Amino acid sequence: MSTLTQTQLVMILLTTLIRIPKSNPFLQSAFALHRPSLIRSNQISQKQHFHGAEVRTSLFSIINSSATTENIPWKNSSTEEDTRLKSRNKRFRQHVNPLAAKFQQPTTLSPNWPNEFYSTPCLPLFLDIGCGKGGFLLSYATHGNDADDYNFLGLEIRPSVAEYAQSRVSKHGLDGKLSFVGCNANVDLDRLLTEYHRETRGGKLGQVCIQFPDPHFKKRNEKRRVVNKELVSCLIRHCQSGVRVLIQSDVKEVFDDMRIKFREFGEGYFEDIVEDIEKYLEENPLGIMTEREISVLEQDLPVYRTLFVRTDLVAE
C-alpha cells in the first residue's frame, strides 16, 4: 500500500472537508501518520478536527508551509557526490515550464553571495543565461583571451543541471572565478545583478550570452521563451555603454524572435551590429563555442547569431 505525503493528505481533506470516515482505514492510517508532526509544528491543535469550517485556516496554513518546503526547486541540499551520482545514473530533464508556480519562486542564495564565490569580486561579470551543464563558461574561463578580465556567472533553470555545473568548477581549477546559480532568469536576474553591484562595491555587468535557449516550439508555449520584454528591460538597466549581448540559436524562428524582441524592446538602447535583419554573423565573435554549437556545425547545419551592443542612451 502506498503512503500519502503530507501535502497529498491535506489536498484530499480540503477536497472533502468532512470528518475522516472510520470506514476508510487507509486515510485513517495516513492521518495518524502525519498528525503528530502537524501537532508538533503547531499547524493543528490537539482538539482540532478535520471537518467543517474549523479546518480551513489550519489546512491552508499547512498547504502554504508545504509549498514553502517542498515546492521550491532551488533549495540545494545535494552534495558533490550526490550530483556526480545523479549525472552518471540518469539523464537530465531537457525541458521545464518556467511559468510553473515552483519555477516562479526566487532562488535561494548563500548569505555571502557573491563575495564567497569570487576571489576578485569587483571584476565585471560575464553572464551566460541558460548555461546548461556549464561547458561554455568552463571553456571560456580557462581559454578565453580576455578571461582574466571577468568573473563568470551561469544561470540555469533546471536545478539538478545547475548543481552538476557547479560541481565541475573545482575540477577545472576555477574556484573564485566561476559560479553557477539555479534560478529562473526572468524571476531573479534583476536581483542577482543588483546584489552583485552592491555587494562587490560597484561590480558591473561586462558581457552577456543567450545561446541555444529552449525553443518552446508550440505556439501556445512561446510565452515560455526566456527573451521577453522584461528580460530586455532588465539588461538595459544593468548594461553600461559598450556591453555586448550575444544571441544565437540553430532554430531560425527562435533566433528571429529573440532578435526582434531586442530590436523592439531595446530600441535606442541596444544596437544590432548586423543591420540587415535577414543576415547573420557567420563566425562566433567570442572564439569559444558551446557543446550545442559544435554539434550543429559538425552536422553542417546553420547557426544564426548576432551581437547587440549597448548604446550610451541612459535608461529611464
Side-chain angles (χ1 to χ4, degrees), residues 212 250 291-303:
F212 306 92
D250 56 327
E291 296 100 323
R292 176 69 179 178
E293 186 174 0
I294 294 171
S295 174
V296 170
L297 294 177
E298 285 178 346
Q299 299 175 64
D300 200 27
L301 296 173
V303 172

Side-chain angles (χ1 to χ4, degrees), residues 14-275:
L14 258 183
T15 302
T16 59
L17 283 181
I18 59 174
R19 188 186 299 272
I20 300 172
K22 293 181 179 179
S23 60
N24 191 330
F26 175 48
L27 198 52
Q28 282 282 346
S29 63
F31 171 59
L33 175 66
H34 290 289
R35 181 182 175 89
S37 64
L38 298 180
I39 292 173
R40 283 197 300 273
S41 61
N42 294 320
Q43 291 171 324
I44 63 172
S45 70
Q46 288 278 4
K47 296 181 179 180
Q48 238 171 343
H49 298 290
F50 280 105
H51 72 284
E54 298 175 2
V55 78
R56 286 183 173 84
T57 301
S58 297
L59 289 177
F60 282 113
S61 170
I62 295 168
I63 286 174
N64 288 336
S65 66
S66 298
T68 301
T69 57
E70 297 176 18
N71 253 355
I72 298 179
W74 319 121
K75 292 179 73 65
N76 182 1
S77 59
S78 298
T79 64
E80 184 172 331
E81 179 65 20
D82 292 334
T83 305
R84 188 161 52 247
L85 290 173
K86 285 179 184 177
S87 67
R88 282 205 303 257
N89 297 330
K90 74 175 214 178
R91 296 181 62 186
F92 292 115
R93 185 172 182 176
Q94 293 301 307
H95 308 283
V96 297
N97 177 7
L99 301 182
K102 67 178 181 178
F103 290 113
Q104 291 296 306
Q105 299 287 336
T107 191
T108 302
L109 290 174
S110 164
N112 297 318
W113 191 91
N115 292 300
E116 70 174 291
F117 291 95
Y118 298 107
S119 302
T120 312
C122 60
L123 288 177
L125 197 62
F126 190 118
L127 175 68
D128 189 16
I129 299 175
C131 64
K133 298 177 185 177
F136 168 74
L137 285 185
L138 290 165
S139 294
Y140 201 105
T142 304
H143 304 295
N145 292 332
D146 55 353
D148 291 340
D149 299 335
Y150 296 103
N151 286 327
F152 295 86
L153 174 63
L155 307 183
E156 172 56 45
I157 193 170
R158 295 166 294 169
S160 59
V161 180
E163 290 179 18
Y164 173 67
Q166 183 62 41
S167 74
R168 303 174 73 187
V169 173
S170 294
K171 299 173 187 177
H172 286 73
L174 292 170
D175 289 315
K177 188 69 173 174
L178 168 61
S179 174
F180 294 97
V181 172
C183 73
N184 184 339
N186 293 125
V187 173
D188 282 303
L189 183 58
D190 184 71
R191 170 192 168 205
L192 288 166
L193 296 179
T194 298
E195 289 199 19
Y196 187 83
H197 178 73
R198 181 179 66 246
E199 298 298 327
T200 61
R201 301 183 184 276
K204 306 290 185 180
L205 185 57
Q207 191 154 197
V208 183
C209 296
I210 307 173
Q211 306 180 83
F212 306 92
D214 192 327
H216 294 293
F217 286 110
K218 295 180 180 178
K219 186 70 176 178
R220 68 175 184 271
N221 291 337
E222 288 181 0
K223 59 183 179 292
R224 299 179 181 179
R225 291 176 179 172
V226 65
V227 176
N228 55 29
K229 181 179 181 180
E230 290 72 25
L231 184 84
V232 175
S233 297
C234 180
L235 292 176
I236 288 172
R237 294 192 300 273
H238 288 281
C239 289
Q240 294 184 316
S241 176
V243 172
R244 303 188 304 172
V245 180
L246 171 67
I247 61 171
Q248 60 176 343
S249 175
D250 56 327
V251 181
K252 184 178 184 299
E253 189 267 330
V254 172
F255 171 80
D256 288 342
D257 184 57
M258 290 194 291
R259 189 182 206 177
I260 288 170
K261 286 173 179 173
F262 266 95
R263 286 191 171 205
E264 178 181 351
F265 303 130
E267 184 176 7
Y269 298 101
F270 285 112
E271 181 179 353
D272 190 340
I273 69 168
V274 181
E275 185 175 352

Side-chain angles (χ1 to χ4, degrees), residues 4-12 34 62-63 66-67 70:
L4 286 176
T5 67
Q6 179 176 317
T7 301
Q8 290 170 329
L9 176 64
V10 169
M11 293 308 298
I12 291 173
H34 290 289
I62 295 168
I63 286 174
S66 298
E70 297 176 18

